[in-house]
Amino acid sequence: MPLTDCRLTLAQTNPALGAVQRNLEDHVAAIQAALAAGSQLIVFPELSLTGYFLKDQTAELALDVDGPELRTLLELSKRISILVGFVERARDGRIYNSAAFLEDGKLLHVHRKVHLVTYGMFDEEREFAAGDEFRAFESKLGRFGVLICEDAWHVSSGLQHFLAGVDAMLVPSCSPGRGVGGGATELGSETTWRTLLDAHAMLFQTWVVYANRVGWEDGVFFWGGSRVIDPFGKLVARIEGFEPALAQASIDGGALRRARVATPLLRDAKPWLLARALERIAAAERAQ
């Protein structure tokens, strides 16, 4: 289905660590505000229902996809499409850092974070199993792909969505604020993410919707900076400041078509050359 001209709400939230019911109430309030603003889609940050540094609480707070918390949001999804972050307990008992896309009262898609962060202050592999695919999906609003935070730092992730012809990449995140001082006018983490997201939009000729959280958790500051970028790399909407906030933006199929006609990157892509190169690299690795 071609991208429908769509009004969306960015939900830049400050989830309370481990307080699922309280966070769910905040989600419901944000959704009601988005509906009042005429939005058809609302995008929440990574792990928006639970908070991030869960550590020993992770297994306790893991949710089944058919549990009561998601059922509340599923009911609201009859009026607005929803992307929400949560800790997922799969049927086989594995626990994932996941994002669910809910629409028309149905669980339309679940993306499990593939590239878990285990460096610096992060130790996600301690708590989570890694997802193993990037799969585009069809919404009534268009064709979407999800990248959860670190997923976007690996070019192969966005490339798979690009080759699948997505209209928009939805990027929920829990990015901490880093890189202060030296006369800079913005945080180093904002500079890095701005560059990364602009590159995704331009190189993959897609809308990019980035929802990052704010607030302090376990001594770590999350900087926000949620934004929407068009397929030319132009900033369309941004939430200023370090507080919880909502922002509305419109994404449209016209900009998508113009970008892809002006520079037909997908038309001229040659993924089979990449497949051959990967086969050669894999063969060389096996031969060592």
Side-chain angles (χ1 to χ4, degrees):
M1 174 183 293
L3 179 67
T4 301
D5 292 352
C6 168
R7 186 168 176 82
L8 66 87
T9 291
L10 287 170
Q12 181 168 284
T13 61
N14 180 12
L17 184 62
V20 173
Q21 188 57 42
R22 174 179 160 186
N23 295 330
L24 180 60
E25 291 168 2
D26 288 345
H27 280 59
V28 171
I31 290 167
Q32 296 292 357
L35 285 166
S39 289
Q40 298 151 283
L41 168 65
I42 184 168
V43 179
F44 289 96
E46 178 183 9
L47 296 177
S48 57
L49 278 176
T50 59
Y52 182 77
F53 287 109
L54 295 167
K55 299 180 181 177
D56 293 339
Q57 298 183 75
T58 305
E60 176 187 344
L61 295 171
L63 305 176
D64 299 324
V65 292
D66 56 357
E69 297 82 7
L70 288 187
R71 281 201 297 271
T72 297
L73 299 178
L74 279 168
E75 185 63 28
L76 288 166
S77 78
K78 295 176 182 178
R79 304 170 61 197
I80 184 173
S81 301
I82 302 166
L83 184 77
V84 59
F86 70 112
V87 178
E88 178 199 0
R89 180 183 290 105
R91 285 189 170 86
D92 63 7
R94 292 177 183 170
I95 295 173
Y96 296 95
N97 178 340
S98 296
F101 192 94
L102 315 176
E103 187 173 271
D104 292 336
K106 299 175 183 177
L107 178 64
L108 196 63
H109 178 72
V110 173
H111 173 68
R112 295 165 172 170
K113 189 173 185 178
V114 174
H115 296 290
L116 300 177
V117 192
T118 305
Y119 56 79
M121 67 182 74
F122 305 105
D123 192 13
E124 291 184 6
E125 289 184 1
R126 178 178 178 270
E127 283 90 27
F128 299 113
D132 60 6
E133 66 175 352
F134 293 95
R135 181 164 48 89
F137 63 97
E138 295 288 345
S139 157
K140 64 185 179 184
L141 303 173
R143 186 167 176 82
F144 296 142
V146 178
L147 305 172
I148 300 178
C149 205
E150 180 75 8
D151 287 341
W153 285 75
H154 297 261
V155 69
S156 58
S157 311
L159 177 63
Q160 291 177 66
H161 285 326
F162 167 70
L163 293 174
V166 300
D167 303 316
M169 294 187 194
L170 310 179
V171 188
S173 177
C174 278
S175 168
R178 290 177 287 189
V180 185
T185 58
E186 63 182 13
L187 292 170
S189 49
E190 178 167 9
T191 302
T192 302
W193 270 103
R194 176 169 48 77
T195 303
L196 184 66
L197 297 169
D198 289 354
H200 274 67
M202 289 187 288
L203 292 177
F204 299 138
Q205 295 182 314
T206 180
W207 287 91
V208 173
V209 180
Y210 177 68
N212 189 32
R213 66 161 293 182
V214 290
W216 288 87
E217 190 179 280
D218 199 23
V220 175
F221 166 68
F222 296 91
W223 64 280
S226 303
R227 62 193 64 205
V228 177
I229 303 154
D230 78 7
F232 294 96
K234 178 183 176 183
L235 181 66
V236 172
R238 180 186 184 277
I239 298 178
E240 302 285 348
F242 305 133
E243 299 297 326
L246 303 177
Q248 282 71 46
S250 294
I251 61 176
D252 67 270
L256 205 61
R257 289 188 293 274
R258 290 192 298 275
R260 292 173 179 180
V261 168
T263 312
L265 300 180
L266 183 57
R267 183 199 71 184
D268 296 341
K270 296 178 174 59
W272 55 89
L273 296 181
L274 176 60
R276 291 175 192 167
L278 292 174
E279 288 174 2
R280 289 197 300 271
I281 293 168
E285 288 286 334
R286 288 193 296 268
Q288 289 181 359

